[in-house]
Amino acid sequence: MDLLPGVRAREVPTDRLRIHLLEAGPSDGTPLVLVHGNLSTGRFYEHVMPALAGDGFRVLAPDMRSFGRSEPAPLDATRGLDDWADDVAALLRTLGVDAPPHLVGWSTGGGAIARFALTRPAASLTLVDPVGPYGYGGVRDDGTPVHPDGAGSGAAGANPEFVRRLRERDSSADSPFSIRNVMRRTYWSPSFRLSPEREDLLVEEILLTTIGDGGYPGSAASSPHWPGFAPGGSGVLNALSPKHLRWDGIVSLDPKPPVLWTHGSDDLIVADGSMLEAGTLGRAGLIPGWPGAEEFPPQQMVTQIRTVLERYADAGGSVRTEWFDGSGHGPLFDAEARWTRVLRDFLAGVR
């Protein structure tokens, strides 16, 4: 692999699966684990790793199961994101890392690091536009799924054309459903552009995704409730369902690791009324038969995150919030300099 200076790659055979790892910094440095999101890999953090390593951290950016070059082990969605949390723990155990790690989680990775902290010591948590504390889609403000079966969430809601193009490894910009155009439109602000070389590299990283029931999008299931689908038992989109995932339990942690929440104001994926969520699509008339806001409200994801973190602070936790005006789902890209500065300042304060 042609990596940035100071970043190295290797395969780590843990007792759970073989993990492809990017690493930077001294081997005896303070552990800092960067967990990527859905449809990405550890390489999405590569551009920020040298600066973090320069602060004395041992920076670890694994490819999570079903993504990148790690072993394509299936993800048990009925455990929410606990497979990912357990994989991070297995990686640290194999590397001989005993100290509580600092954890950064982007999107799906935010939910995974919160789940890690529920059962293991963590030095700090940095949530980057994280999946909501009650999962994604079909959930009320108090965290109760709209229907017990998780109707309106999970793999069956994925766009079939988008999944087909992923399966065919379509790297073109010929369709709005190609991953290149989806990445440009939703991973960061649409006005932001990576260099052509970096964009090509990250598109190819995404196209390493394991497509199918155990990976992306996961196994499909039907529901008697609107909109007619519910989460299956395997795969990443099902793991994000409110039937299987919640991380608001961090409010009860003792001790509580300091938390940094960074979020782009123009995030289209994790937002109050995201157009990728069934309730919002139903209200807009894009999924027929919407039963109305009382029965199936659009999910207020950012409000749910804010409320849980306010409860965390009220219970004695330290929470720092940084809003990135004009940024999309990935301020670590479209506001790289400021985002990196904020993270480094936070970590320096924690240490």
Side-chain angles (χ1 to χ4, degrees):
M1 297 178 72
D2 186 15
L3 298 167
L4 294 176
V7 180
R8 51 199 183 270
R10 60 166 159 154
E11 306 294 316
V12 180
T14 76
D15 55 14
R16 288 178 56 80
L17 77 166
R18 175 187 51 79
I19 293 178
H20 178 81
L21 176 68
L22 295 187
E23 188 171 5
S27 59
D28 60 350
T30 303
L32 172 60
V33 185
L34 312 177
V35 182
H36 65 77
N38 188 13
L39 290 174
S40 58
T41 70
R43 202 154 192 195
F44 276 67
Y45 285 112
E46 182 186 5
H47 62 296
V48 301
M49 292 176 68
L52 297 171
D55 291 339
F57 287 100
R58 182 183 187 182
V59 187
L60 308 170
D63 290 352
M64 303 308 294
R65 68 170 61 208
S66 299
F67 296 101
R69 294 170 176 81
S70 289
E71 182 180 343
L75 192 155
D76 181 354
T78 65
R79 304 186 68 228
L81 291 171
D82 284 0
D83 269 356
W84 276 24
D86 290 351
D87 291 345
V88 169
L91 172 66
L92 295 174
R93 189 164 58 246
T94 302
L95 296 176
V97 175
D98 298 322
H102 296 271
L103 299 166
V104 177
W106 177 35
S107 193
T108 296
I113 67 168
R115 292 296 305 178
F116 179 102
L118 285 173
T119 56
R120 305 168 181 91
S124 72
L125 302 175
T126 296
L127 305 171
V128 187
D129 295 63
V131 62
Y134 311 122
Y136 199 103
V139 62
R140 300 184 186 278
D141 289 348
D142 65 356
T144 305
V146 171
H147 296 289
D149 65 354
S153 66
N159 183 283
E161 175 70 5
F162 177 61
V163 175
R164 180 183 71 80
R165 287 179 177 271
L166 284 175
R167 182 177 287 110
E168 294 174 357
R169 295 181 52 81
D170 174 19
S171 63
S172 75
D174 297 340
S175 164
F177 300 107
S178 70
I179 188 56
R180 185 179 299 272
N181 282 328
V182 170
M183 185 174 73
R184 289 173 174 174
R185 193 170 62 247
T186 64
Y187 280 41
W188 35 72
S189 169
S191 63
F192 173 78
R193 281 288 184 273
L194 292 170
S195 70
E197 297 77 16
R198 198 68 187 172
E199 180 177 278
D200 287 346
L201 185 154
L202 294 185
V203 166
E204 291 304 315
E205 288 290 301
I206 296 171
L207 292 176
L208 296 172
T209 299
T210 301
I211 305 300
D213 286 355
Y216 184 92
S219 56
S222 61
S223 172
H225 308 292
W226 185 90
F229 62 83
S234 62
V236 65
L237 291 190
N238 295 318
L240 298 176
S241 165
K243 181 179 179 181
H244 303 312
L245 173 67
R246 60 187 301 163
W247 54 262
D248 61 312
I250 64 169
V251 172
S252 301
L253 286 177
D254 184 19
K256 291 178 168 59
V259 172
L260 169 64
W261 174 32
T262 68
H263 209 97
S265 66
D266 295 348
D267 189 345
L268 300 177
I269 296 176
V270 177
D272 285 350
S274 168
M275 289 300 290
L276 299 179
E277 187 269 328
T280 303
L281 291 170
R283 182 177 60 184
L286 298 176
I287 301 179
W290 182 54
E294 184 173 342
E295 182 171 335
F296 205 112
Q299 185 180 356
Q300 305 301 297
M301 301 181 202
V302 170
T303 297
Q304 291 172 352
I305 297 167
R306 182 178 291 111
T307 299
V308 167
L309 293 182
E310 286 174 351
R311 291 171 49 209
Y312 188 86
D314 289 344
S318 171
V319 177
R320 175 176 172 180
T321 299
E322 292 285 344
W323 203 250
F324 287 77
D325 289 333
S327 285
H329 190 56
L332 68 161
F333 295 96
D334 59 21
E336 175 190 347
R338 181 188 162 208
W339 184 86
T340 305
R341 185 169 62 252
V342 166
L343 175 61
R344 294 174 74 184
D345 178 68
F346 169 74
L347 293 173
V350 171
R351 294 173 77 183

